[in-house]
Amino acid sequence: MKRLSELKPGEIGFIESIGEKGTFRQHLIDMGMIPGTQVNVIRFAPLGDPIQISIRGYELGIRKSEAKKILVSTKL
């Protein structure tokens, strides 16, 4: 398993868990980040933050510090 922040652009991962508790975790779940969901890293901003990802048919920008809290596997 890796953290979402460790994936390289073009890599695909599947969400395993979100390590955060509380409103932040609920916000991610509301956006469709649930275990088993495929996520694709599109690119990093020029200074490395934020990260642009594709999930469930839409693109999303999240901070690198937030992406470190999301565990993904590269195989389903």
Side-chain angles (χ1 to χ4, degrees):
M1 265 194 275
K2 295 182 174 183
R3 299 183 187 282
L4 180 58
S5 60
E6 296 172 345
L7 295 181
K8 294 179 175 53
E11 274 191 283
I12 295 173
F14 298 90
I15 296 175
E16 291 291 325
S17 69
I18 300 170
E20 190 71 19
K21 300 270 188 231
T23 58
F24 173 71
R25 183 177 192 273
Q26 187 60 47
H27 183 67
L28 292 177
I29 290 170
D30 291 344
M31 290 190 294
M33 290 193 176
I34 56 174
T37 304
Q38 180 178 317
V39 61
N40 181 19
V41 176
I42 298 172
R43 66 177 161 229
F44 289 87
L47 297 177
D49 200 17
I51 301 169
Q52 184 179 2
I53 62 171
S54 173
I55 183 167
R56 294 189 177 264
Y58 67 94
E59 293 182 1
L60 175 67
I62 63 171
R63 294 179 183 191
K64 197 170 190 175
S65 62
E66 296 167 345
K68 287 181 181 179
K69 299 173 185 173
I70 302 169
L71 294 177
V72 298
S73 65
T74 53
K75 296 179 184 175
L76 183 62

